[in-house]
Amino acid sequence: MSPSANSPTEVANTNYSAANFASIFAVLSTFNEVIRSNIKEPEELHAAVLCTEGTQKLSDLALALLAAASCRKTRTPLSAGHWPKLCSELAGNTVFILKGLQVPETVADSLDSFVEQPAAVRVDVLYWLCEAALMDNPAIKELVDREANKMRKPTLASTATQELVRLEPFAEVSKQRYWMFGDKTRQLYLESVSQRARGKLELLAQTPEEFASLAQSLETERSAVLKELGQVLTDEVVPYLEYQIKKRERAERAMQRQAMALANVHIYETRTRKRQRVNYNVDEGLEAIDY
């Protein structure tokens, strides 16, 4: 039986490729104008891949990417009925991308067949669709070329006003672009703009430790742009991520204290046979006493 769009699907294998996952999120964030996905954070993509809230988000994402990879000119969303034909045609034209990916032939049978796959296969399928879209979609190529023409000299993008959907590289030098994504998170990707490896994104750093190590490496480079990038990572990105981690830890500790407080509230039986909670707040009792 196919999984319903409203019920969670159990996933036996959640060990998907982190590199492919990062590439998918980078494509969604950068080219949302073309793909029109509702996923804005890595956590949302992770939840969609694992179907923690049902399978509808995964199905919608797969259809949106398939539409972009198939270069459909109409803005009408695809339906599940389009999946078998378009998938089969795309597979025939992108065999070189499929090599090395976990994409069984049964994925093209139906959208349900894709959804029923393990998480590792789902990620590889989404990655395949992203790669195909980057390679052939004219709207994506137009966006890349248009923004690249604006960057005549290697410069750093301002970190103060950047939005999540970024079309301006964080830095660019020597046929390489550095892209920074994330709202409350940060992920730095390297893109080669050479003709041979055009559109390929490589995740460089996403934790404070990784950014600190990368910054040290960049500051030893000869390029002034890379040195400046390393300094920005040290002065702005690493402190920001450390602050977000501490903020998240404080919120988790607060939730733990609240859960422990609720767990320590005892229940007793009254003469009315209704279960009531014991109030251990001494201050409230003292306020009711007239002196």
Side-chain angles (χ1 to χ4, degrees), residues 36-245:
R36 300 187 297 278
S37 167
N38 293 324
I39 292 176
K40 305 299 182 184
E41 293 289 347
E43 294 80 6
E44 295 175 338
L45 178 57
H46 177 74
V49 167
L50 298 188
C51 300
T52 56
E53 299 176 357
T55 62
Q56 189 63 52
K57 289 184 179 180
L58 177 64
S59 299
D60 291 345
L61 174 60
L63 289 173
L65 288 174
L66 179 59
S70 302
C71 307
R72 284 173 56 89
K73 296 181 180 180
T74 175
R75 297 179 69 89
T76 304
L78 291 179
S79 66
H82 294 98
W83 180 270
K85 180 181 178 181
L86 292 180
C87 262
S88 298
E89 293 177 351
L90 186 64
N93 296 328
T94 57
V95 176
F96 60 95
I97 299 178
L98 291 171
K99 291 182 178 180
L101 297 177
Q102 299 182 64
V103 182
E105 294 182 1
T106 54
V107 165
D109 292 345
S110 67
L111 184 59
D112 285 340
S113 297
F114 159 70
V115 171
E116 291 171 347
Q117 298 295 325
V121 176
R122 295 173 185 169
V123 167
D124 277 10
V125 172
L126 296 178
Y127 174 81
W128 162 52
L129 297 176
C130 286
E131 287 291 296
L134 288 175
M135 181 180 66
D136 291 328
N137 190 287
I140 290 179
K141 289 183 177 180
E142 181 181 352
L143 286 175
V144 173
D145 293 340
R146 185 175 66 199
E147 295 302 319
N149 291 334
K150 296 179 182 179
M151 301 291 292
R152 295 183 179 180
K153 295 182 180 180
T155 58
L156 283 175
S158 171
T159 59
T161 60
Q162 289 302 307
E163 298 178 355
L164 177 61
V165 180
R166 180 188 299 276
L167 289 179
E168 184 177 2
F170 200 63
E172 182 176 1
V173 62
S174 186
K175 294 186 178 181
Q176 290 184 323
R177 295 172 183 163
Y178 293 83
W179 298 85
M180 184 77 75
F181 301 107
D183 183 10
K184 295 181 180 179
T185 59
R186 290 290 184 271
Q187 300 89 33
L188 183 67
Y189 296 88
L190 175 64
E191 177 194 11
S192 174
V193 294
S194 64
Q195 192 65 29
R196 184 176 181 180
R198 188 179 183 86
K200 186 69 174 180
L201 293 171
E202 176 188 357
L203 177 64
L204 297 181
Q206 61 181 342
T207 66
E209 296 77 15
E210 291 173 350
F211 274 108
S213 176
L214 178 61
Q216 291 180 356
S217 176
L218 291 175
E219 290 173 0
T220 62
E221 296 288 341
R222 294 183 178 180
S223 169
V225 174
L226 294 181
K227 288 180 179 291
E228 186 180 356
L229 174 59
Q231 194 64 44
V232 170
L233 297 182
T234 300
D235 296 342
E236 300 180 19
V237 177
V238 173
Y240 175 82
L241 289 176
E242 291 176 343
Y243 168 77
Q244 291 296 332
I245 291 174

